[in-house]
Amino acid sequence: MADAEERQSLLGDEDGVSFSGRRNAGEPGRPMSAICDPSHLLHRIVVLLFMCFLGFGSYFCYDNPAALQTQVIQDMKLNTAQFMQLYAWYSWPNVILCFLGGFLLDRVFGIRLGTVIFSLFVCVGQVIFAAGALLDRFWLMEVGRFVFGIGGESLAVAQNTYAVNWFKGKELNLVFGLQLSMARLGSTVNMNIMGWVYNRIASLVGSPGYTTLGVSLMIAAVTCLFSLVCALVLGFLDKRAEKILHKDQGKTGEVIKLTDVKDFPFPLWLIFIICVGYYVAIFPFIGLGQVFFIEKFNFSPAEARAINSIVYIISAPASPILGFMVDKTGKNVIWVLCAVVSTLAAHMMLAFTFWNPWIAMSLLGVSYSLLACALWPMVAFVVPEHQLGTAYGFMQSIQNLGLALIAMAAGSILDNRGYLFLEVFFSACVCIALIAVVMLYFVDYLRGGDLNLSAADRARLQKEATSDSEIYKHPNQQTERGLARLKPMSAFGLRNRYLSRLGAQLPDHCSSHLSSLAHRSVLK
C-alpha cells in the first residue's frame, strides 16, 4: 500500500496524469491513446464534432416560425405583423448583448460556464416558446423568443472562442467554414422537417390546432437540449485539456470601448449601412417566404418549404469556397458590389416576373454567401486592431436593431399592401445598400485605401509594413549612437564624463546608480 501511494505521488496529480501529460488516468505506466490525447489531431476532431453541434439547436429553432408560418398564424389566430414579432423579440436583446457577450465570457463566466449558461438560455427559451403555443398564450411565446435571443447570439461568440482555442494556424479557417456549414444544415433541416412533424402530430392528436403546434415546437426543443449536452461535454474536455496541457482557458479577445464609436472613419459607417440594408432584405424575407411561394407560384407547402430553404442549402458548401476565392483575389468592394446587384436582381425577378423561382432563390443563396465572405473582413481594413471588438459589436448591434424594426415593418406591409409591395420594399432596402457600396468604392479610391486592393498588393503592403516595424523595433547601433549624441546630457552625466576624461575612477555608488537607471529604462 505504501509503495502504491508513493508511486501515485511521484506520478502526478489526482487525475493520474504524469508530468509529461501523456499518461492514462487509470494506467499511469502507459501512454494515452490518440483519441484521449488533447494534443493529438484525432482528439481535436472529436472536440470539433461537439463544437459544430453546439450551435445546431440554436440555428434549428431560430427559423421554427418560418418553417411553420401558416400553422402559427392559423393556430394562434395572428396577423402577419404579430407573427413577425417573433423575430423582432429575438433581435431586441442582441442590440445590447452584442457588446456584452464577449465581456461576459472573458471576465464574468469564463468560456466553459458561459457556454453552458447561454445554451441553457436557448433551451429554456425554446421550451417557453413551445409552452406558450401549448397554452394558447401568444405573449408567452414572445417571452420565449426573447429568452431564446439572449442566448442565441452569445452562444455563437462562445463557439468561435472554442474554435480559436483548439484550432490555430491553417486549421482555423477550415473549422470556421465547417461551423458555418453545420449552422446552415440546422436551418435547412428545420425548414424541411418541421412541417412533416406538425402533420404527424396532427394525425396523432386528431386535428391541427395550438396543441399540435406546441407539441411540435417542444419536439424541436430536443435539438436545443442536445446542444446543451454538447456544451457540457465541451466544458469537460476543455477543462481536462487545460490540466493535461497546462494551458489557459480560452478568451474572446474582444475589447469593447463605446468611446471608440466617435472615432470610426466614414468608410466604416458605409459598411454598417451595407450590412443593415442587405440583411434586412434576406432574413425577414425568408421568415415570410413560405406563404409567398404558395400564393404566387401555387407551390405545395412541402415545395414552398424546400425552395425557402435553398438559401441555407447553397450557403453551407458555398461559404468556404467563396471565402477562399475572396482571400485569393482580394477586391472586396467589387465582390460586395456583385453580391448586392445579384440580390437586387433576385428580388426584382421574384416581384415582377413569374419565372421559375428556383432561379432567383439560387442566385440569392450564392449572393448571400458571397457578401458574408467579402463584407465582414473589410472592418479589419478600416479600423485599428484595438477598435475591432467595438466595431464588430456595433455592427452586429445595428444589424439586430435593423432586423427587429424591419421585421415589424414587413409584417405590417404584408397585412396592408400584399406581397408585391413587400418585395418592392425589400428591393428598396437593397438599393440603399447598393448606393452605400458605390459610395464606399469612390471614398476608398479617393483616400487611397486598401479595401479594393488585390490579394497580391495586400501581401506586398503587409510585407513592407512588417519590414518597417522591424526597423523601428531593432534600430541599428549607429542610429542609436547618433540619437544618443543628439540627446542633451544631464548634470550627473556631464560630471561623470568629465571625471572619466581626467582618468578618475567613478565611485561605486555612481556605477550602481547608472545600472539601476538602465534597468528601469529597459523595463519601461
Side-chain angles (χ1 to χ4, degrees):
M1 178 65 72
D3 290 341
E5 291 176 355
E6 182 180 3
R7 177 183 176 84
Q8 179 66 26
S9 65
L10 290 173
L11 283 172
D13 60 16
E14 60 185 3
D15 291 331
V17 179
S18 73
F19 66 93
S20 65
R22 301 284 182 154
R23 305 295 183 189
N24 277 328
E27 298 178 78
R30 296 183 181 179
M32 288 185 184
S33 61
I35 200 170
C36 297
D37 184 358
S39 64
H40 198 279
L41 178 61
L42 184 59
H43 182 84
R44 288 187 289 130
I45 289 175
V46 174
V47 172
L48 176 61
L49 187 64
F50 287 104
M51 205 179 293
C52 289
F53 280 108
L54 177 63
F56 183 86
S58 173
Y59 284 97
F60 182 92
C61 292
Y62 170 77
D63 268 325
N64 277 170
L68 298 173
Q69 179 186 352
T70 304
Q71 293 87 341
V72 171
I73 292 175
Q74 291 178 352
D75 295 346
M76 302 304 297
K77 300 177 178 60
L78 308 175
N79 58 33
T80 311
Q82 291 172 313
F83 169 79
M84 289 303 290
Q85 287 283 352
L86 297 175
Y87 282 99
W89 280 111
Y90 174 90
S91 296
W92 285 125
N94 292 301
V95 175
I96 304 297
L97 281 176
C98 285
F99 289 104
L100 297 179
F103 173 79
L104 293 174
L105 287 171
D106 281 349
R107 307 289 179 84
V108 181
F109 302 131
I111 180 63
R112 291 186 286 268
L113 179 60
T115 303
V116 173
I117 289 175
F118 291 135
S119 297
L120 273 172
F121 270 107
V122 168
C123 192
V124 171
Q126 179 66 17
V127 170
I128 295 173
F129 180 54
L134 274 171
L135 299 174
D136 196 17
R137 296 292 183 269
F138 182 66
W139 65 267
L140 190 59
M141 295 179 72
E142 292 179 309
V143 171
R145 289 292 285 185
F146 183 85
V147 175
F148 184 85
I150 291 174
E153 296 292 315
S154 298
L155 185 61
V157 175
Q159 188 179 28
N160 291 339
T161 306
Y162 266 127
V164 173
N165 193 31
W166 278 87
F167 299 90
K168 295 179 181 178
K170 296 180 179 179
E171 299 170 337
L172 189 57
N173 290 327
L174 175 62
V175 169
F176 278 138
L178 290 173
Q179 286 183 344
L180 180 61
S181 297
M182 184 59 68
R184 299 300 171 233
L185 178 63
S187 301
T188 303
V189 173
N190 160 72
M191 287 288 191
N192 290 280
I193 201 174
M194 284 306 296
W196 176 83
V197 170
Y198 180 92
N199 292 333
R200 291 300 301 268
I201 299 299
S203 64
L204 292 174
V205 173
S207 64
Y210 60 83
T211 302
T212 301
L213 178 64
V215 173
S216 301
L217 294 174
M218 199 66 77
I219 292 174
V222 173
T223 61
C224 297
L225 186 62
F226 173 65
S227 293
L228 176 60
V229 172
C230 290
L232 293 170
V233 174
L234 269 177
F236 168 77
L237 293 175
D238 194 65
K239 182 69 174 178
R240 178 176 176 272
E242 182 181 317
K243 287 183 178 181
I244 295 175
L245 302 179
H246 308 291
K247 66 176 184 175
D248 294 330
Q249 189 172 175
K251 295 182 180 295
T252 65
E254 292 183 358
V255 179
I256 304 294
K257 292 183 179 178
L258 293 180
T259 54
D260 288 340
V261 174
K262 62 181 175 57
D263 299 323
F264 284 166
F266 182 60
L268 183 60
W269 291 102
L270 291 176
I271 292 174
F272 291 162
I273 294 172
I274 297 168
C275 175
V276 175
Y278 186 87
Y279 283 108
V280 298
I282 300 293
F283 295 122
F285 171 74
I286 293 175
L288 295 169
Q290 182 182 343
V291 175
F292 170 72
F293 293 114
I294 293 174
E295 290 186 358
K296 180 170 182 177
F297 297 98
N298 296 318
F299 280 14
S300 68
E303 291 173 327
R305 287 192 293 269
I307 193 172
N308 203 32
S309 66
I310 192 64
V311 173
Y312 294 141
I313 294 174
I314 291 175
S315 178
S319 293
I321 297 172
L322 293 175
F324 178 79
M325 180 185 71
V326 173
D327 284 340
K328 290 298 182 182
T329 60
K331 302 286 184 181
N332 289 58
V333 179
I334 296 298
W335 290 120
V336 170
L337 181 63
C338 293
V340 173
V341 170
S342 300
T343 301
L344 180 60
H347 274 294
M348 293 183 71
M349 278 191 281
L350 292 171
F352 301 114
T353 73
F354 283 88
W355 296 349
N356 191 324
W358 285 97
I359 300 173
M361 291 300 289
S362 299
L363 181 61
L364 195 64
V366 174
S367 305
Y368 165 74
S369 304
L370 178 60
L371 183 119
C373 297
L375 180 69
W376 291 87
M378 286 201 297
V379 175
F381 297 144
V382 296
V383 297
E385 187 175 354
H386 70 275
Q387 292 182 346
L388 275 179
T390 307
Y392 277 119
F394 195 82
M395 189 172 179
Q396 290 176 313
S397 177
I398 63 172
Q399 180 192 25
N400 278 284
L401 178 62
L403 288 172
L405 295 175
I406 297 301
M408 295 187 296
S412 179
I413 290 171
L414 185 56
D415 284 334
N416 296 311
R417 297 300 185 95
Y419 271 106
L420 176 60
F421 199 88
L422 180 64
E423 273 298 313
V424 172
F425 174 71
F426 286 144
S427 299
C429 292
V430 179
C431 285
I432 294 173
L434 179 60
I435 294 171
V437 175
V438 174
M439 290 180 63
L440 181 63
Y441 177 86
F442 285 108
V443 168
D444 182 70
Y445 177 77
L446 294 174
R447 294 188 177 187
D450 58 354
L451 291 179
N452 208 36
L453 291 178
S454 66
D457 290 338
R458 282 183 187 150
R460 177 176 53 80
L461 289 176
Q462 180 68 26
K463 185 177 180 180
E464 292 175 358
T466 303
S467 300
D468 291 341
S469 65
E470 288 298 321
I471 292 174
Y472 285 122
K473 284 181 180 178
H474 306 289
N476 58 45
Q477 294 181 355
Q478 186 67 32
T479 305
E480 288 179 344
R481 284 196 294 267
L483 291 174
R485 283 196 293 267
L486 293 174
K487 183 178 179 180
M489 295 186 68
S490 64
F492 178 79
L494 285 169
R495 177 177 177 275
N496 289 334
R497 182 179 181 184
Y498 175 70
L499 292 174
S500 298
R501 291 280 179 91
L502 293 177
Q505 176 138 10
L506 293 178
D508 291 339
H509 71 277
C510 292
S511 300
S512 63
H513 182 64
L514 288 171
S515 176
S516 67
L517 285 175
H519 182 62
R520 268 204 315 236
S521 176
V522 170
L523 287 178
K524 187 176 179 181

